Amino acid sequence: MATTPPPQTYRVKSFGCQMNVYDGERMAELLGAQGIRPAAEGEDADLVVLNTCHIREKAAEKVYSDIGRLRRDDGSSPLIAVAGCVAQAEGEEIMARAPAVKMVVGPQAYHRLPAMIEQATLGKRAVDTDMPAETKFGALPARRKVGPTAFLTVQEGCDKFCTYCVVPYTRGAEISRPFNDLVAEAHKLVEAGAREITLLGQNVNAWRDDSNRGLEKLIETLSEIPELARIRYTTSHPNDMTDGLIAAHGDLPKLMPFLHLPVQAGNDRVLKAMNRSHTADSYLRVLDRVRAVRPDIALSGDFIVGFPGETDAEFEDTLRLVDAVGYAQCFSFKYSPRPGTPAATMDGQIASEVMDERLQRLQAALNRDQLAFNQRSVGQRCTVLVERKGKYPGQWLGKSPWLQSVHFTGEAEIGALVEVELVEAGPNSLAGRLLA
Ligand code: SAM
Ligand code: SF4
């Protein structure tokens, strides 16, 4: 068996959702703790981790083209590990299809990566897609250095089984991390530089601890960390928007006025076939209640067009729902049949051209509303959390409380909270004027 020297440098490439971004950061910290350093820009890394996404077909296929691109001119490859949801769903297939891959590790097992790397340097290939009873979180090193905005995974997995979705299969059953561990990790993130924390979960608002405390209690406790200025959470399910969490939007000033609440479709027959267990109307009522306590809330959602059997008239219901809500921003996707999910074998699969046309119409409506939301912000004063330097000298980029990208010029620094007046709106960002 050919041996390889232990890797000195690594690169982690994450695709897909914010939970993957979080996992990618934690894997980087884990590799750092082994003395492996991040490869510099343009430097050839000894170890590459592809942290993959399986949510749609295109995302899953990307991994194979990426593996191909890692091959060097002399025919050799770095040590390649495939992590994330494609690893979980297609572990053995990846091993068979891509000999360059030495390690396949699922989202619940990546704390075992160091041991796998050791084996890989001895020439052994390994697949670890266990969902061990012990959680990976306890085995990961403490958080050290982060930017002004940080992710904190509080909940993983999903028990909802929407008929189109692979998450319950790739990420497993719903688990909530313990309250005290989360508060401790939040403190570490703040000590490491975070001013804003986004709590993450596939169903983040289903988070609950052993004493039955809900997400609002966690947010309330994190609000007490003095240097932490902003708290957000994503992604939520409409059925888990409890009275307590809705009230928190009115009561807790550090909880930002932004809610990402996917609906997927505006027609009740389609929602039922998706196993969403809410109706268009019950969804709209949840939004009304949130708006009642936080009238300036910016709303966001996810949509799928072309679910099997969706008729033109049913799709029109989605457009009507969009008109009724007036979203500030959204994600919208063509339905992608995922192997092993009930919807993949349902009758009435929709032709790709029909999905394209529906997606275009939906996105036109969503873009219109996003621009209108941004235009309504013009003239308002708000606090911007500065995240990075802009393209131009003296320019800075940050986020408004409503998660809009704002750019401005003047004296500032990364991590600062500055007051700006919003002066000009585009579809994806706003220009601000720095106030003294
Ligand atoms: N748990 C969240 C919820 O239920 O709203 C969403 C998690 S999922 C990772 C993110 C989004 O991907 C979903 O809201 C859905 O819009 C989209 N998605 C999931 N499966 C899909 C599929 N098979 N085809 C197209 N889009 C899909
Ligand atoms: Fe997937 Fe539905 Fe669970 Fe969201 S709630 S992760 S869409 S199964």
Side-chain angles (χ1 to χ4, degrees):
M1 250 178 301
T3 58
T4 316
Q8 305 294 311
T9 57
Y10 72 83
R11 177 163 294 124
V12 178
K13 208 170 160 196
S14 288
F15 304 90
C17 67
Q18 289 152 317
M19 300 202 58
N20 254 16
V21 175
Y22 174 88
D23 287 344
E25 286 168 2
R26 303 299 322 251
M27 282 189 253
E29 288 163 354
L30 187 63
L31 298 173
Q34 306 297 309
I36 312 176
R37 64 170 176 80
E41 188 81 30
E43 188 186 7
D44 205 9
D46 300 334
L47 166 70
V48 175
V49 181
L50 299 173
N51 189 21
T52 60
C53 171
H54 200 240
I55 203 82
R56 282 168 292 279
E57 196 176 357
K58 268 199 187 139
E61 271 304 312
K62 231 175 137 10
V63 64
Y64 292 104
S65 52
D66 265 49
I67 294 166
R69 267 200 298 274
L70 287 171
R71 183 193 278 268
R72 301 179 182 124
D73 292 344
D74 66 0
S76 69
S77 296
L79 278 178
I80 302 175
V82 178
C85 290
V86 180
Q88 188 68 37
E90 295 179 5
E92 296 297 344
E93 195 185 323
I94 297 169
M95 281 301 200
R97 209 171 136 181
V101 173
K102 299 292 181 259
M103 295 157 272
V104 168
V105 62
Q108 306 305 349
Y110 64 73
H111 54 297
R112 297 175 176 168
L113 206 46
M116 294 176 82
I117 294 170
E118 208 178 302
Q119 292 297 306
T121 59
L122 301 174
K124 293 185 194 147
R125 301 173 80 206
V127 176
D128 188 345
T129 48
D130 279 1
M131 297 207 182
E134 98 268 6
T135 98
K136 66 191 171 223
F137 296 104
L140 296 172
R143 317 298 312 261
R144 262 183 287 195
K145 193 172 176 308
V146 297
T149 62
F151 291 134
L152 173 52
T153 292
V154 304
Q155 180 279 334
E156 283 199 297
C158 181
D159 297 338
K160 301 271 193 294
F161 290 94
C162 300
T163 52
Y164 51 81
C165 185
V166 288
V167 168
Y169 311 97
T170 57
R171 291 265 174 175
E174 267 179 25
I175 61 124
S176 291
R177 294 181 62 195
F179 189 89
N180 290 343
D181 291 7
L182 295 170
V183 175
E185 192 170 327
H187 275 280
K188 287 266 181 254
L189 287 171
V190 172
E191 281 162 28
R195 309 289 325 265
E196 172 181 297
I197 292 182
T198 301
L199 307 177
L200 295 182
Q202 261 91 26
N203 278 297
V204 70
N205 56 345
W207 181 88
R208 211 140 268 291
D209 76 352
D210 292 345
S211 331
N212 213 21
R213 287 180 287 195
L215 195 67
E216 66 280 7
K217 192 65 205 161
L218 181 63
I219 296 171
E220 189 186 322
T221 304
L222 299 188
S223 289
E224 287 160 14
I225 305 176
E227 304 80 7
L228 181 63
R230 295 178 160 192
I231 302 169
R232 304 181 186 275
Y233 64 93
T234 197
T235 293
S236 299
H237 192 283
N239 287 6
D240 294 317
M241 285 306 294
T242 59
D243 293 347
L245 186 56
I246 292 174
H249 277 280
D251 295 340
L252 301 175
K254 289 188 182 179
L255 179 56
M256 289 294 102
F258 184 91
L259 176 63
H260 180 66
L261 198 63
V263 61
Q264 316 298 356
N267 175 271
D268 289 346
R269 191 203 63 80
V270 174
L271 287 170
K272 192 152 192 262
M274 288 176 161
N275 193 30
R276 284 294 291 179
S277 64
H278 59 79
T279 62
D281 192 53
S282 68
Y283 173 83
L284 292 172
R285 282 203 309 272
V286 171
L287 298 188
D288 286 344
R289 286 164 59 215
V290 182
R291 275 187 166 137
V293 297
R294 189 75 216 222
D296 69 334
I297 191 112
L299 296 168
S300 161
D302 289 350
F303 289 90
I304 296 176
V305 301
F307 184 79
E310 184 188 63
T311 64
D312 284 337
E314 288 169 341
F315 169 67
E316 298 283 340
D317 286 341
T318 297
L319 295 178
R320 266 189 282 280
L321 181 134
V322 167
D323 290 346
V325 174
Y327 287 99
Q329 51 173 273
C330 271
F331 298 98
S332 48
F333 312 103
K334 287 200 300 188
Y335 167 71
S336 167
R338 307 314 298 131
T341 60
T345 50
M346 280 180 187
D347 290 340
Q349 302 285 326
I350 307 284
S352 186
E353 313 80 74
V354 175
M355 288 202 259
D356 283 334
E357 196 258 340
R358 289 183 189 166
L359 190 64
Q360 271 179 25
R361 287 179 65 197
L362 175 61
Q363 290 186 338
L366 294 171
N367 292 343
R368 170 203 69 199
D369 290 351
Q370 181 167 329
L371 179 62
F373 183 87
N374 287 346
Q375 284 170 338
R376 281 199 300 278
S377 307
V378 171
Q380 293 197 39
R381 292 171 168 218
C382 72
T383 307
V384 168
L385 173 58
V386 182
E387 292 181 9
R388 56 197 166 90
K389 286 187 170 166
K391 262 203 306 221
Y392 304 106
Q395 191 189 43
W396 299 93
L397 301 179
K399 294 276 177 359
S400 77
W402 307 282
L403 207 64
Q404 297 150 301
S405 291
V406 178
H407 55 89
F408 65 91
T409 48
E411 283 291 302
E413 58 180 12
I414 293 172
L417 287 154
V418 296
E419 294 303 306
V420 303
E421 183 187 343
L422 300 170
V423 290
E424 204 184 316
N428 298 314
S429 66
L430 288 129
R433 187 172 64 82
L434 190 59
L435 300 172

